[in-house]
Each structure stands twice: as structure tokens, then as C-alpha cells.
């Protein structure tokens, strides 16, 4: 793989990570949860070849963590009913 091809592949992965972050923000917002630090981890995108960008779900307060756990538990139970 040439340098140009690797760069394009890395850019594609970063764009995909940006899309995932946007989808997560929308999804969390839809159930009343805001994760203020939700973002792409900048360190994983550093360097000339960021092939595996990470999504940083960030830090949240206890209330947000509890609301998130309730949503996940509810969704998990809903999945088992149908």
C-alpha cells in the first residue's frame, strides 16, 4: 500500500469515527443523555497513520452514568421480550 493509499484509508477511518460520534450524540440525546466529553480521541489520530481512531465516551457525572445504565438495562430487557 502506498503512502497516499494509507493516508486515504486513515482519513476514511477518521471520517467513520466522526460519523459514529455524531450518531452516538444523536442517540444519547434522544433518550435525554448528554456526554459532554464524547469525541474522537485525538491521541489515537496523531501521527501520520491513524488507522484505528478511538471514540472517547468521556467523563460524566454520577447522575448521567445512572441514567445511562437505566437506558441500557431497559433496552436489554426490551430485547429479551421480543
Amino acid at each position: 500500500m502506498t503512502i497516499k493509499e494509507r493516508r486515504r484509508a486513515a482519513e476514511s477511518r477518521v471520517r467513520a469515527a466522526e460519523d459514529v460520534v455524531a450518531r452516538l450524540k444523536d442517540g444519547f440525546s434522544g433518550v435525554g443523555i448528554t456526554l459532554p466529553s464524547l469525541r474522537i480521541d485525538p491521541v489515537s489520530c496523531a501521527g501520520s497513520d491513524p488507522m484505528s481512531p478511538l471514540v472517547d465516551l468521556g467523563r460524566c457525572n454520577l447522575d448521567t452514568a445512572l441514567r445511562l445504565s437505566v437506558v441500557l438495562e431497559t433496552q436489554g430487557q426490551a430485547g429479551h421480550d421480543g
Side-chain angles (χ1 to χ4, degrees):
M1 184 178 273
T2 67
I3 292 174
K4 194 178 263 189
E5 290 170 331
R6 291 175 66 148
R7 184 170 291 137
R8 276 194 216 125
E11 289 171 357
S12 176
R13 296 286 297 160
V14 170
R15 277 194 302 278
E18 290 170 340
D19 290 343
V20 168
V21 167
R23 290 177 64 187
L24 284 168
K25 285 182 180 182
D26 287 345
F28 284 132
S29 176
V31 294
I33 294 174
T34 300
L35 296 176
S37 301
L38 178 60
R39 65 188 179 141
I40 297 174
D41 174 51
V43 175
S44 66
C45 294
S48 60
D49 195 17
M51 289 302 290
S52 298
L54 300 175
V55 174
D56 184 356
L57 294 175
R59 301 169 11 164
C60 63
N61 62 29
L62 181 57
D63 181 54
T64 301
L66 288 171
R67 287 189 294 137
L68 181 55
S69 70
V70 167
V71 168
L72 292 172
E73 290 166 2
T74 302
Q75 290 300 311
Q77 291 169 359
H80 293 294
D81 292 339

